[in-house]
Amino acid sequence: MNNEKEDWALEQDLKYNRLTAFKLFAMTSSMVISVNELAPFGKTGPTALFYLLIAGTAWFVPITQMAGEMASIDGWEKGGIFTWVKGSLGDKVGWTAMFYQWIHITVGMDTMMYVIIGALSITFGTPWFNTTPIVRFILMMIILWGATAIQVIGIRKIGRIAEWLFILGIALTVILLIISFFVYLAQGHPVHMVINWHTIIPHHLNGTTLVAFVPFMLAFCGGEASAPHVKNLDHPKSYSKVMLALAATAICFDLLGSMAIGMTVPKGEIQNSTGFVYTYGKLLTSIGLPGDLLQKIVGVMLSCGIIGELGNWIAGPNQGMYEAAKEGYMPKFFAKTTKHGVPIRIMILQSSIVTVSALLITFTSGADADFAFNVSLAATTAQYLMVYMIMLIAYMVLKKKA
């Protein structure tokens, strides 16, 4: 009887949860390669290029390789950062790291949804989507609980959806933005950012510079959040290669995407929640294309891509929390899954917390959508910094023991 149950469980795992390396790349890319920060970075000016390059090469590449190394250790395939930190620093610290990773995204999802709503407000010519708090909140709830409900179909199908949403909604839109930007430059249009040695490098390296650098460093966060799915990979050892490909792609997209916005749109016209789609319309019109029409199409594509990103953030860290719940760090009520292996109870808990944070931020911000975006982005950054500090210490302890 037990053998039959094990065979059935294996069959269900293969049917619903198996992932190829590309599907995991797509899932992880949609968690890391986000257009949420491109407008704020473009608004920062030339120094954004310096910060992004340093953050990508000196921070993100090492972090992804650490994640790949720790995920490849026998017995550490499940649970992600919870398992890694627990193995190096003990149970309590492992739980703390997992909790920080899980709780940070309850505010981070608000940031994603503000960008979705901003894009839709331009697409449909309905600015009141973005400026009326009650409308903004209702739309956020539709997006959030819809993304939560679809998780019941299983990791494999979510991975397939994420693959297409990432390609069509994130990768394609950023690539088209970059191509349009190069055409804009080739046609000799004016640029609103001067790029040279003196403008890129910060004039003073002090505490203020470090504070300004942190958001850029954490723009690349999330690469390790899909690590709980290593156990679902057809070839788990390919995880390190997936992370390296992710690092290269993320650095290129963020550098060129932020330049495209900062150099083609005057700083005063860039809004954080709508800047990406607004830039498209302005850029495409400048190079002789029907910008108003294409802007609307891009707005829909972008919204779908970020919804895919949102779904992956629901799926990723919650797998780690499920492993923690099975080991007694949460009430046993949460250590249950659907027949497809989805920890839906933890997902509902998370989405409930997101609902509360969305309620507080949206209604205290009033009609100022950019203020709401900035508050949620700052809160996300502060919380995720703690995750990485713990992860770095755990890795150093691991290497010292080796």
Side-chain angles (χ1 to χ4, degrees):
M1 187 68 178
N2 287 335
N3 288 336
E4 289 180 5
K5 287 184 177 179
E6 290 176 6
D7 290 342
W8 181 85
L10 179 60
E11 181 184 341
Q12 295 302 301
D13 181 63
L14 290 171
K15 183 178 179 181
Y16 294 106
N17 296 329
R18 289 291 92 185
L19 293 173
T20 63
F22 184 75
K23 280 188 173 64
L24 185 65
F25 172 79
M27 289 180 71
T28 313
S29 295
S30 66
M31 298 167 81
V32 176
I33 302 173
S34 173
V35 300
N36 300 351
E37 298 95 354
L38 294 185
F41 291 166
K43 197 172 184 177
T44 299
T47 55
L49 305 183
F50 171 80
Y51 288 136
L52 281 169
L53 187 60
I54 297 299
T57 56
W59 172 260
F60 187 57
V61 172
I63 285 291
T64 54
Q65 292 310 293
M66 287 180 205
E69 185 176 337
M70 289 190 285
S72 64
I73 295 174
D74 289 339
W76 286 22
E77 300 90 352
K78 296 182 179 181
I81 198 168
F82 168 68
T83 302
W84 307 339
V85 175
K86 185 182 71 169
S88 295
L89 302 177
D91 293 1
K92 291 183 179 179
V93 185
W95 163 247
T96 301
M98 184 68 247
F99 180 78
Y100 273 124
Q101 185 192 54
W102 183 77
I103 200 68
H104 101 278
I105 201 59
T106 57
V107 181
M109 288 181 190
D110 294 332
T111 309
M112 298 176 209
M113 289 188 285
Y114 288 138
V115 175
I116 293 169
I117 294 168
L120 293 177
S121 70
I122 292 179
T123 298
F124 298 116
T126 51
W128 47 273
F129 276 12
N130 216 25
T131 56
T132 309
I134 184 64
V135 174
R136 201 186 324 155
F137 179 73
I138 291 171
L139 290 173
M140 290 172 78
M141 293 302 97
I142 293 172
I143 295 167
L144 172 66
W145 288 101
T148 303
I150 200 173
Q151 298 294 325
V152 299
I153 66 178
I155 295 168
R156 185 177 182 179
K157 291 182 179 178
I158 289 293
R160 189 179 298 124
I161 293 171
E163 182 181 329
W164 284 104
L165 290 181
F166 168 71
I167 292 171
L168 297 175
I170 302 294
L172 185 58
T173 55
V174 175
I175 290 170
L176 290 176
L177 176 70
I178 293 168
I179 292 172
S180 301
F181 169 57
F182 286 139
V183 173
Y184 179 91
L185 294 179
Q187 290 180 350
H189 294 286
V191 295
H192 301 280
M193 184 190 297
V194 179
I195 304 293
N196 57 46
W197 180 260
H198 299 290
T199 58
I200 291 177
I201 306 297
H203 296 298
H204 304 287
L205 297 177
N206 49 33
T208 303
T209 308
L210 181 61
V211 170
F213 175 62
V214 169
F216 291 89
M217 182 172 68
L218 294 179
F220 295 106
C221 73
E224 80 299 331
S226 66
H229 297 313
V230 172
K231 66 182 186 296
N232 304 120
L233 267 176
D234 290 335
H235 305 287
K237 296 297 182 182
S238 64
Y239 183 71
S240 294
K241 295 178 181 178
V242 170
M243 290 294 99
L244 189 59
L246 171 67
T249 307
I251 292 170
C252 291
F253 274 29
D254 277 3
L255 276 172
L256 296 174
S258 58
M259 282 180 61
I261 293 175
M263 295 182 72
T264 59
V265 180
K267 183 176 180 179
E269 294 182 23
I270 301 174
Q271 290 190 323
N272 291 342
S273 59
T274 60
F276 187 88
V277 179
Y278 176 78
T279 299
Y280 250 108
K282 193 173 181 66
L283 190 54
L284 293 174
T285 300
S286 298
I287 64 176
L289 294 175
D292 289 342
L293 173 62
L294 294 175
Q295 181 186 60
K296 297 179 187 302
I297 296 172
V298 167
V300 174
M301 292 169 62
L302 177 66
S303 299
C304 292
I306 300 178
I307 288 172
E309 177 186 2
L310 183 72
N312 284 330
W313 271 110
I314 293 173
N318 280 315
Q319 289 290 332
M321 288 294 280
Y322 169 63
E323 295 296 329
K326 287 198 298 183
E327 296 187 27
Y329 292 92
M330 296 180 71
K332 288 296 182 182
F333 175 81
F334 296 106
K336 302 287 185 182
T337 64
T338 66
K339 66 178 182 179
H340 297 164
V342 177
I344 193 66
R345 294 179 179 181
I346 296 178
M347 292 178 179
I348 290 173
L349 173 63
Q350 183 188 57
S351 295
S352 299
I353 297 173
V354 176
T355 299
V356 174
S357 68
L359 184 69
L360 293 173
I361 296 173
T362 301
F363 285 98
T364 55
S365 301
D368 193 344
D370 256 19
F371 180 75
F373 177 93
N374 292 336
V375 168
S376 57
L377 184 62
T380 304
T381 299
Q383 291 179 80
Y384 218 124
L385 183 60
M386 296 300 297
V387 176
Y388 282 119
M389 293 301 101
I390 297 172
M391 180 178 165
L392 284 169
I393 293 170
Y395 182 76
M396 288 188 287
V397 170
L398 174 66
K399 300 304 287 184
K400 186 177 180 181
K401 290 179 179 178

